[in-house]
Amino acid sequence: MTAAGEPLLRAEGLQVHFPIKRGVFFDRTVGHVRAVDGVDLAIDRGTTYGLVGESGCGKSTLGRAVLRLVEPTAGQVLFDGTDVASLKGEALRTMRRRMQMVFQDPLGSLDPRQDVESLLSEPLRAHGLGGGKVGIAARVRELLDAVGLPAAALRRYPHEFSGGQRQRIGIARAISLEPDLLIADEPVSALDVSVQAQVVNLLEELQQRLGLTYLVIAHDLAVVRHISDVVGVMYLGSLVEQAPSGVLYDEPLHPYTRALMSAVPVPDPVVEERRERILLAGDLPSPANPPSGCRFHTRCPWRQETRCDDEVPVLRELAPGHLVSCHWAEEIRDGVLRPKSPEEVAATQGVSVRATGAEGLETDALVQGVDEPIERR
Amino acid sequence: MSIEAMPPEDAVRGDVPVLEVEELSVTFARRGEQPTRAVDGVSFSVAAGETVGLVGESGCGKSVTSLAVMGLLPRRGVQVGGSVRLGGTELIGAPDRTLRRLRGSEMAMVFQDPLSSLNPTVSIGTQVTEVLVEHRDMGKKEAVAEAAALLDRVGIPDPTRRLKEYPHQLSGGMRQRALIAMALACSPRLLIADEPTTALDVTIQAQILELLRELVVDSGTALVMITHDLGVVAGLCDRVHVMYAGKIIETADRHDLFARPRQPYTGGLLASVPRLDAGRGVPLTPIRGSARDAIPWAEGCAFAPRCDNAQDDCLTEVAGSTVPLEYDGPGRELRCRHPLTYPAAPAGATASGAGR
């Protein structure tokens, strides 16, 4: 156990590379998809860290690597001072009790043949918690109550519930072991608008009551802004900007964050007409063959002739707690540099606006940046 | 580029609407089961150069409405009632031959999932030229040139090379652009876009919305935009119809709708969306329950079980009649007996009032 001031979770230089295999008889490795390529982050106790980015930027893989559901290629994940990567067997199992996950697809992540009681009591039994049959039964009822489901739900099966209720079951299962860290991977993106708000409110309420620490992974910037204390923006496997949520949304410094922010439609026609839009040229480049220098330079409206193409920007602290990886962040903030139109960017970068994986060689869904979880069976 | 580039509203209104839908109803019946009414008396019209939004959550019947307009619903087990007229031609009950002639040339559709609506075994070029050969009587060579021009128009770089490629070789945004190119091949008078950006990332979504916006302005196509994303509606649509459980419950211009939603459901939807420009810690006000809790319209307002304003006379039993869609100020229609009210001075979108 470490001091209370220490962050609960710290990732240092975390990398996850997936090999691309080719060949019928021999699995030749022809390259690597750099899903996560050197990410440092720290999450303080009782706070929410929001991770945003487009599909294929590696945010889900990062979440899974923290839990060691995928094996990190390099780097460290320190959970409460212990390196998760060094743990084996029983020690890892105990550690996993303290970090739980809520998945995106509530139906796919619940066993259709288990009723709710069995779903919720299984983690307790597996970890030998809850104090016998009577204790577990009482605990399961308590959990249902905590997530706002009636006790009548106990005997029912996942398919009998609506999407929002299923997500509540998934959350109840995740908190059943009283974890310290909850990783929520797109917890509301599969839900209807009116139900999203219910689940977001539930997550916030549980955090206050149980003192949970969240890592929320989502593509919806508005949801992330709403529930996060600190937001990190990922692009092609690395963090491009990290700041307290209010600061990030008031003054985004990285060109990618700015473009992302301006792309989110606001449900208010008055705002919609006023606000400035920064359209990006082209698509996300392939993570198997990321651009040199700054990874965003192929789509960046502020790209400069020097440094951007060949020098990898490091995450610099521009204001307290506000980290940016852009060579020209100050100039862009002060309005010294002006953005170019997407057509100009496309013209100067000709090749790079092609779709990812268009070379004919990289036709894997993974290489094309399709955000699908890597199944391990 | 923004919506200021839209043509003056008066110029496009008042003409004969491109699409008129009247009392459209769709009932799915299966042997041994209660028939389900997915769309229940929906009426709206779209003029040239106008963008109309159909908004609602999953299961409210917005996609079925679009399929019924296109005549794409299966014949078996489906009853379609009411009237759909495209430039005066009745489409409900029209022979297949007529529909086949109209689809692709006069009306076109862009679907939600670009990968499953393209044929994976046929190259993009063949799929785009097919429309041109069929409807515009073009020769093969001519069609290929035209297809390349179309792909170029929707912003696909290096179009001649793309024509030889297959759908899996394109990214999600590219596929959606290719679909839009196919839909535009014959400059249709009506374009129906069914959640065209739901499967895409926000930066790509912004590109596609910009493209659709330009198309409406440039070619005067009537656009029906089906979406659940209120942000998309706010930026793109002139008029918005909010649907719930198969019926339109509120119709308004987008400015009115977002500034002063009258139906408690619309108000609830707006209050439950976290906004990028709102401060953190502003709590969300969700709508109780889920869309499953709707009651049949015959028994009363379908939204009543989830509504905070609901009173006894929302039920048919008490009021003696079902809730009608009524005139509610200029350009607005409302299906509610206890709508949200506002003080005389226009209040913010979050203001909420009690019943009358």
Side-chain angles (χ1 to χ4, degrees), chain B residues 18-62:
Chain B
V18 174
L19 176 76
E20 291 169 276
V21 178
E22 259 173 56
E23 288 298 313
L24 180 73
S25 69
V26 180
T27 313
F28 293 98
R30 264 166 78 180
R31 215 185 325 167
E33 274 180 34
Q34 280 284 346
T36 321
R37 180 153 282 206
V39 178
D40 195 358
V42 164
S43 308
F44 63 95
S45 67
V46 194
E50 194 185 27
T51 306
V52 163
L54 287 184
V55 194
E57 293 179 285
S58 47
C60 71
K62 52 193 195 304

Side-chain angles (χ1 to χ4, degrees), chain B residues 299-352:
Chain B
E299 289 174 23
C301 173
F303 184 61
R306 303 173 70 191
C307 181
D308 287 333
N309 278 6
Q311 288 176 27
D312 288 350
D313 64 343
C314 289
L315 300 176
T316 311
E317 236 175 81
V318 180
S321 63
T322 54
V323 193
L325 188 65
E326 286 169 326
Y327 172 83
D328 181 50
R332 298 193 73 153
E333 283 184 306
L334 176 71
R335 189 190 297 276
C336 183
R337 289 210 169 95
H338 302 282
L340 305 172
T341 52
Y342 299 91
T350 47
S352 60

